[in-house]
Amino acid sequence: MSVAVSLLSTYAEKANLKASLDENGYKRALQDTSWADGLRGIAAVFVMFSHLVLAFARWIIIPCYGKNESASLMQRPIFRLVGQGAAWVAVFFILSGFVNSLKPVKLARAGSTEPALANLAVSSFRRSFRLVLPATAATILSWFITQLGGYETAKNSDAYWLYTTSPQPSSSWVSAVDDLLHAIRTTWTYNPDNPYDQPQWALLYLLQGSMFVFTALLATINLTPRWRVLTIISLYFWSWNWGIKLGDPMVGVNVFTGIILAELNHSEYPLRFASFSPLFALPLLVVSLVLMSFPSQNEDWAPWSDKLLQWYWKIAPANAELSRFWPTIGAQVLTFSIVMSPHLRRALSHRWCLWLGKISFPLYLLHGSFMRTILAWLLFSRQQMTEIEEEGNKHMRYPLPGIPTFMVVMPIFFVFLFTATHYWAIKIEPYFGIITKTAEDIMFGKSEGSSTLPLRKD
């Protein structure tokens, strides 16, 4: 009997030790927010994939080959995420709200209101510079390539995304400078348009979303966490109504989701449910990826997308955008499942994911120019222009090469692209940081002699 009692007590001690170790492991995983960098890197890669799909495999965009007809593997839910650029852009906005509110929310919860306000002031200032400076540099690079005729092969190819996003050279260098200034300006105006780098359409809305975050936190920083969360939830639902008036109806709902997730991250709920997270986080992950797979056209062709279409008409707010509603909801469910799961956090904190996160913004800015130059040259250099009919009109274009050519060319292209983005991140990005810090020191009065008007001595 005493032996049995001894064995049971030993087992209980080991079980308690194991539970304690598990809890400590959960705490470490839940304190680490580097998963956001990993997810951002993956989102940037999938945005690039979506442009490759638009260029070479537009059949993936539709859910099947015809209404109630068969679908290929790449047209089915989850697999088709390679062509779902809108879903991954939604992830960008959610992560922007999450990352920009992490520190202010933490300070506010600790009662450090003054440091939280100071952090908001500095962060909002830096955010503008860290978006505008790299975008301007990428625009100048693409503009220079355009004037040298570097996009002509892409312009004359039969790759849809390549020829529709390849601008024509200006008539003279004088007009080219004017075109460059116009492109830089219109990147940051209502209905943004950058003819030299089409993906930059989203940057104005990323900056706008950051300002939403800073303004919302400024107004709620003195509230208790419960009332701050309730206020942000109210803003979330309210933004479905007025978001469209500001150019993009999905900006507010995504960045406010990011603030809510930051509050959730600093609460006790992720740790409280950590041991049960595999039971709900993984199913939520699958559901989110299916929702993110919702097609942007011919939604009623496949049974699964038609069912989501019917639900859209029942529950979607009046100003929601059909093609982006379910991908947006899916992105929000995805990030919620990650915040609640130490296992998903740990997976996204892998060093390769973090490396992708480090190069995510350079990748977003540079992949278009590399597709229109290196990729186009590699694919079409040996092609002869042929007459191709498109929507009743005939054009002379370079035809798409066969699959064997793609299998040889794509690895070479990825080596060029990821090498360039890596060196941009470690060699060029630091200069943007120096410029930002210098401007901050001058404009915040941290450097000597920075005052425009003389200060009173009393």
Side-chain angles (χ1 to χ4, degrees), residues 104-177:
V105 166
K106 182 179 181 180
L107 291 170
R109 281 175 166 261
S112 304
T113 304
E114 291 296 329
L117 291 172
N119 178 266
L120 285 173
V122 173
S123 297
S124 60
F125 177 86
R126 292 173 180 170
R127 182 64 170 166
S128 302
F129 277 79
R130 298 312 294 268
L131 281 175
V132 173
L133 292 177
T136 301
T139 299
I140 294 172
L141 174 64
S142 182
W143 166 82
F144 190 68
I145 294 172
T146 300
Q147 306 312 319
L148 295 180
Y151 292 150
E152 287 305 301
T153 301
K155 186 74 175 177
N156 293 311
S157 72
D158 193 37
Y160 175 79
W161 194 82
L162 297 189
Y163 71 72
T164 56
T165 62
S166 296
Q168 292 283 7
S170 304
S171 57
S172 67
W173 281 101
V174 174
S175 61
V177 173

Side-chain angles (χ1 to χ4, degrees), residues 105-407:
V105 166
K106 182 179 181 180
L107 291 170
R109 281 175 166 261
S112 304
T113 304
E114 291 296 329
L117 291 172
N119 178 266
L120 285 173
V122 173
S123 297
S124 60
F125 177 86
R126 292 173 180 170
R127 182 64 170 166
S128 302
F129 277 79
R130 298 312 294 268
L131 281 175
V132 173
L133 292 177
T136 301
T139 299
I140 294 172
L141 174 64
S142 182
W143 166 82
F144 190 68
I145 294 172
T146 300
Q147 306 312 319
L148 295 180
Y151 292 150
E152 287 305 301
T153 301
K155 186 74 175 177
N156 293 311
S157 72
D158 193 37
Y160 175 79
W161 194 82
L162 297 189
Y163 71 72
T164 56
T165 62
S166 296
Q168 292 283 7
S170 304
S171 57
S172 67
W173 281 101
V174 174
S175 61
V177 173
D178 183 64
D179 291 340
L180 171 63
L181 296 176
H182 176 78
I184 294 173
R185 180 177 62 83
T186 55
T187 302
W188 306 101
T189 57
Y190 187 76
N191 287 331
D193 175 53
N194 187 328
Y196 299 109
D197 194 16
Q198 183 271 340
Q200 289 196 30
W201 72 267
L203 298 186
L204 171 66
Y205 299 117
L206 278 171
L207 180 58
Q208 183 187 81
S210 298
M211 296 305 130
F212 286 176
V213 172
F214 299 137
T215 304
L217 289 178
L218 179 65
T220 61
I221 203 72
N222 283 313
L223 302 183
T224 64
R226 175 178 299 176
W227 286 106
R228 185 167 50 250
V229 169
L230 289 175
T231 302
I232 300 301
I233 290 174
S234 300
L235 288 174
Y236 171 88
F237 287 106
W238 191 22
S239 65
W240 282 105
N241 174 260
W242 51 257
I244 194 171
K245 303 297 183 182
L246 300 178
D248 191 314
M250 301 302 179
V251 173
V253 296
N254 284 321
V255 297
F256 293 139
T257 297
I259 301 177
I260 296 168
L261 292 176
E263 291 279 3
L264 180 63
N265 179 79
H266 289 305
S267 72
E268 76 279 3
Y269 292 109
L271 182 60
R272 183 182 299 179
F273 292 98
S275 58
F276 306 103
S277 62
L279 299 178
F280 63 85
L282 293 180
L284 281 178
L285 175 66
V286 174
V287 170
S288 70
L289 296 179
V290 172
L291 295 179
M292 291 169 67
S293 302
F294 186 76
S296 58
Q297 54 185 266
N298 304 116
E299 302 90 353
D300 61 338
W301 280 11
W304 69 272
S305 58
D306 184 51
K307 182 66 68 175
L308 288 176
L309 177 63
Q310 301 309 315
W311 274 103
Y312 168 83
W313 297 121
K314 293 178 181 178
I315 67 172
N319 291 329
E321 187 176 331
L322 172 59
S323 62
R324 296 169 62 193
F325 176 76
W326 287 120
T328 294
I329 299 299
Q332 294 169 2
V333 176
L334 170 68
T335 47
F336 171 78
S337 66
I338 295 170
V339 169
M340 294 298 293
S341 171
H343 306 90
L344 293 178
R345 288 186 184 220
R346 189 176 292 116
L348 288 169
S349 299
H350 188 275
R351 61 190 182 94
W352 284 109
C353 293
L354 297 181
W355 177 72
L356 288 176
K358 182 179 180 179
I359 66 168
S360 59
F361 197 34
L363 179 62
Y364 186 84
L365 292 175
L366 297 180
H367 76 271
S369 295
F370 273 71
M371 285 175 61
R372 292 188 293 265
T373 51
I374 293 174
L375 182 58
W377 299 339
L378 290 172
L379 287 174
F380 302 111
S381 60
R382 295 190 178 185
Q383 298 287 96
Q384 296 294 322
M385 296 184 73
T386 60
E387 189 175 76
I388 295 175
E389 185 172 346
E390 180 184 3
E391 297 180 353
N393 299 317
K394 294 182 178 180
H395 306 274
M396 294 298 293
R397 298 192 185 281
Y398 296 112
L400 298 181
I403 293 178
T405 302
F406 276 97
M407 293 178 66

Side-chain angles (χ1 to χ4, degrees), residues 91-101 127 206 209-210 213 255:
V91 172
F92 281 144
F93 283 100
I94 296 169
L95 292 178
S96 176
F98 177 77
V99 172
N100 285 320
S101 56
R127 182 64 170 166
L206 278 171
S210 298
V213 172
V255 297

Side-chain angles (χ1 to χ4, degrees), residues 20-75:
S20 176
L21 290 174
D22 286 346
E23 184 175 347
N24 290 331
Y26 290 149
K27 283 183 177 179
R28 287 194 298 271
L30 294 171
Q31 289 171 353
D32 185 9
T33 57
S34 63
W35 64 267
D37 293 324
L39 182 59
R40 186 189 298 110
I42 293 172
V45 170
F46 273 87
V47 167
M48 176 193 65
F49 284 160
S50 71
H51 293 151
L52 288 170
V53 167
L54 285 171
F56 307 113
R58 283 195 289 163
W59 53 271
I60 294 178
I61 296 174
I62 56 179
C64 55
Y65 291 113
K67 189 170 179 61
N68 297 322
E69 292 185 9
S70 61
S72 70
L73 179 66
M74 297 305 297
Q75 290 175 320

